[in-house]
Amino acid sequence: MNFTALLSRPGVRLCAGLLASAALLGLYARGGSGWLLGFVALVPWLRTLDANKSLGGALLGGWLMSMAFTAAAFAWFGTAIGGYAQIGPAAGLVIVLIAAPLLQPQFIAFALVRHITRRWHGPVLCALAGASAWVATEWLGIKFLGDTLGYGLYPSPLLRQAADVGGTAGLTLLLLLANEGVSAAIARRAEGVLAIVRPLALAALVPLLLAGYGAHVVSTLSTTPAPASKPLRMGLVQSNITDYDRLRREKGADVVVREVLDTHFAMTYDAVEKQHADAVLWSETVYPLTFGHPKNEAGAELDREIQGIVNAAQVPFVFGTYDVDDAGEYNAAAFVEPGKGVLGYYRKTRLFPFTEYVPAWLDGPTLRQLLPWTGAWLPGTGARVFPLRLKDGREIPVLPLICLDDTDTGLAIEGTRQGAQAILTMSNDAWFTGDTLGAEMHQTAAAFRSIETRLPQFRVTSNGHSAVIDATGRVIADSKMGERTLVIGELPVADPPLTLMVAWGDWVGRVAAAFLVLLTLAAVLRHWWAPGAEESEAVADAAAMPARVAVLPPAARVVAGVLRAFARGSLLWMVLAFLLGDGSWPTNTLAQIRVFSALFLAPELAAWLVLRAFAARATLEPGLLVLTRGKRRMELALQDIAAIEPWRLPIPARGASLRLASGRRHGLAHANPVALARVLVAAGAAAPVPAPTRSSLYAQARGAIRRGRLDHPLVKFVVLPLLLAVPAFRLHQHITFGSSFGEYEAFGLKAYLAGFVLWWAAWAIGVVLTAAGVRTAIEAGTLATLIVRPGQAVDARRWFERLGLVALYVGVPLWLLVRIFGM
């Protein structure tokens, strides 16, 4: 078998594409000149996705690519886990590969959305949808490591500058589109040169635009006059003392603490006395006790000793320690001033799962026994800005970040909005010692926070890489991995220029998610737009018999009618209460649920049960109208039906009364009573076809419009509220708890799910009330048309129904987007 024939096999082609893209991405992730590969690295995988024809194949392709990418770019993470958990690097790598779909879910989302979109749209929208799915997945906050493809452009001093416009998510989006352009050109190579040039030109436009913008930014920043005030000169102490637990076992806790402090005191002396640093920065958790809250006299003595050093140095210190309150302990940064003591603590917001904390619903003695290394720290409440008060009287507002915090764009943006003029980052990257790629990636992520906000940054780690980073992301001074060194650097500090990222927040992910929602709605409206079709009389008559009906005695109709009228009237009252803001219950979810259940759900359910109790199936047999319910059978001779009278008021539903020659009446609830009358007369009923009246014309207008799938209650009142609740609940989690899964991390899965169900229920109520208001407008418009122009009632009804669907399925999501962007 020749090589070409071998590659034509689907399985071999898939593996070849995966391995080629994984290899290119692995080189891309390692920096250097490999950043150029970012524009083509995904092309082999995209070609395999294009060759696949099934949704299952797309899912498989995304899953395998997540594993291949993890192996190529994040094998160091498996090694680090193996060393940290003392299970060995091989076992750690296996765990990481198994968890690859959780670490890199964007590959799966990209492959699925791209495959589905290809059924409905052309290559351009397909590429945009896939790229949007990628960045929207990352924006939702379900990325374990906070990485993204755009980080790989950091080695390019020009291309990385566009992060101040769209963040790293914007860079990722552009990289994906460039890859799509190259892939499209290869796919069209048989169509001639012109077919290839267009997608290639679009792909080449991406780096050209990025480079042009970057050159403009670098030129602007380099020619901007320096601030009148002195630059901030910081001393970063990288002690290279790591693995405190091992040192404690070997030397004892007191000896280790003493060694750590003596080393930092000596290096700090050099920073202040010889290098004239304005302030000193130590690394994350360098002081392994609760500074300022000593647990014993020995701890209090060490606290006094540190304060004495600060007083002698006459410069502020910022260092990693622990904070504590009644709720528990925190990984924190202490701001200590000479002569004054502790100014305050910043508490780390982004904790690392299963090392620094365990979700409450998983925590317990068994887990602690299985995973003895897990911490029990609590997360902080978000970004905080502290004044760095210098010896010369200057007061510089700074934003502290600890370790994983620097992967969170939102924290840097919020700190900038609070007035920060510099970022102080502390980290302990000792677990990257076995493979420095992890430490390099971490520093890259931190540097992008400076680019996005245009804030200078001073970053210290326990054993590398420590760095001084300017507003363009350029490293002014740094250290190597595994060395004991003092990094000194100075940077100008002032109010930074306002960037689009600071003004709009991390907007690319939100826009991508909104684009996917609108694209989905457009596709659904196009394929499910059933209300636009006016039924012919023949179609309506065919649907009229056989049919499900309810044979209602007068008392049953009255009871069901009263219940349903009360329920629908209550809905209108609730709509008015929401619009007018009447009382506190419109803003109280539990009150909403109680009122909605009591005034609408309960009577509506009772009315439905009454109709259900008298439900039957209506069929025609020679000379007979047969009503069947279970084993019971009622036969009405068609010749005995003297009159068919559609109900003037469609309560509890549309229907008609059959008056027999004997004078007896039978009420039938039926979806289209006018069509029912025509069918019965055509079959031999003695009754004449009812003369047109406004009520019959109204019933005819209602019955002439086919209900589509978008009108199905499950779609309207379950699926739509679910789609609306997800982004709204995520926004609530960020505002209240600081992250997408903040409540889950703080209170456990039960509380998190209960909160989501409440949001889902609240949105379901909101959609029902919106639908009620829309339905009222549709019915009022139909009645008004009947009064003014009866002959156009059906056409008017058709357009009212269409506008109602637009109001519900487009208007409500747009309102939600406006609320989200307004936050």
Side-chain angles (χ1 to χ4, degrees), residues 344-428:
Y345 298 90
Y346 166 70
R347 295 169 173 177
K348 182 178 179 181
T349 301
R350 290 284 302 272
L351 299 178
F352 208 91
F354 297 102
T355 56
E356 294 183 308
Y357 85 102
V358 176
W361 66 276
L362 274 178
D363 205 355
T366 302
L367 182 72
R368 295 286 172 177
Q369 186 176 1
L370 292 173
L371 308 177
W373 60 82
T374 53
W377 291 325
L378 300 175
T381 55
R384 290 189 64 189
V385 171
F386 292 83
L388 200 63
R389 294 168 180 153
L390 306 184
K391 186 177 180 179
D392 58 10
R394 286 181 294 157
E395 186 172 297
I396 299 174
V398 296
L399 167 69
L401 299 175
I402 300 176
C403 194
L404 204 60
D405 286 341
D406 60 24
T407 67
D408 189 337
T409 300
L411 288 176
I413 290 173
E414 181 58 31
T416 307
R417 291 172 175 173
Q418 292 178 18
Q421 294 181 353
I423 299 174
L424 305 184
T425 306
M426 292 147 278
S427 186
N428 180 359

Side-chain angles (χ1 to χ4, degrees), residues 495-560:
D495 291 331
L498 180 64
T499 68
L500 196 64
M501 282 293 288
V502 174
W504 289 7
D506 196 4
W507 61 273
V508 172
R510 287 182 290 179
V511 170
F515 171 74
L516 289 177
V517 171
L518 294 177
L519 192 64
T520 302
L521 287 175
V524 170
L525 289 174
R526 185 173 68 249
H527 287 274
W528 286 2
W529 191 276
E534 180 182 343
E535 289 186 339
S536 66
E537 285 192 2
V539 174
D541 292 352
M545 193 69 66
R548 299 290 303 180
V549 299
V551 185
L552 295 175
R557 185 187 174 195
V558 169
V559 171

Side-chain angles (χ1 to χ4, degrees), residues 300-606:
E301 179 60 30
L302 291 173
D303 287 359
R304 288 191 290 269
E305 185 177 356
I306 293 175
Q307 184 64 58
I309 295 295
V310 176
N311 294 340
Q314 289 297 299
V315 299
F317 280 35
V318 182
F319 58 88
T321 182
Y322 303 132
D323 191 17
V324 64
D325 60 17
D326 293 339
E329 287 193 3
Y330 305 82
N331 184 344
F335 281 72
V336 184
E337 297 183 334
K340 297 180 180 179
V342 178
L343 171 67
Y345 298 90
Y346 166 70
R347 295 169 173 177
K348 182 178 179 181
T349 301
R350 290 284 302 272
L351 299 178
F352 208 91
F354 297 102
T355 56
E356 294 183 308
Y357 85 102
V358 176
W361 66 276
L362 274 178
D363 205 355
T366 302
L367 182 72
R368 295 286 172 177
Q369 186 176 1
L370 292 173
L371 308 177
W373 60 82
T374 53
W377 291 325
L378 300 175
T381 55
R384 290 189 64 189
V385 171
F386 292 83
L388 200 63
R389 294 168 180 153
L390 306 184
K391 186 177 180 179
D392 58 10
R394 286 181 294 157
E395 186 172 297
I396 299 174
V398 296
L399 167 69
L401 299 175
I402 300 176
C403 194
L404 204 60
D405 286 341
D406 60 24
T407 67
D408 189 337
T409 300
L411 288 176
I413 290 173
E414 181 58 31
T416 307
R417 291 172 175 173
Q418 292 178 18
Q421 294 181 353
I423 299 174
L424 305 184
T425 306
M426 292 147 278
S427 186
N428 180 359
D429 289 351
W431 61 321
F432 301 138
T433 303
D435 189 339
T436 61
L437 179 59
E440 293 166 4
M441 286 184 171
H442 195 183
Q443 180 165 298
T444 293
F448 269 105
R449 304 295 83 82
S450 288
I451 299 171
E452 291 162 349
T453 61
R454 298 304 175 191
L455 290 177
Q457 181 175 172
F458 299 89
R459 182 175 188 268
V460 67
T461 67
S462 57
N463 68 328
H465 298 281
S466 301
V468 179
I469 304 169
D470 72 6
T472 68
R474 181 167 62 101
V475 174
I476 304 299
D478 65 346
S479 67
K480 296 179 181 179
M481 195 77 181
E483 67 173 346
R484 178 174 295 180
T485 187
L486 181 65
V487 179
I488 300 292
E490 62 180 32
L491 289 169
V493 289
D495 291 331
L498 180 64
T499 68
L500 196 64
M501 282 293 288
V502 174
W504 289 7
D506 196 4
W507 61 273
V508 172
R510 287 182 290 179
V511 170
F515 171 74
L516 289 177
V517 171
L518 294 177
L519 192 64
T520 302
L521 287 175
V524 170
L525 289 174
R526 185 173 68 249
H527 287 274
W528 286 2
W529 191 276
E534 180 182 343
E535 289 186 339
S536 66
E537 285 192 2
V539 174
D541 292 352
M545 193 69 66
R548 299 290 303 180
V549 299
V551 185
L552 295 175
R557 185 187 174 195
V558 169
V559 171
V562 170
L563 289 170
R564 183 152 282 179
F566 178 81
R568 304 297 168 87
S570 297
L571 272 185
L572 294 180
W573 171 79
M574 284 184 270
V575 170
L576 292 175
F578 266 94
L579 293 176
L580 301 177
D582 183 17
S584 62
W585 76 271
T587 58
N588 184 320
T589 301
L590 292 177
Q592 289 176 22
I593 294 174
R594 286 193 293 267
V595 172
F596 185 79
S597 300
L599 299 185
F600 173 70
L601 283 184
E604 183 70 19
L605 176 61

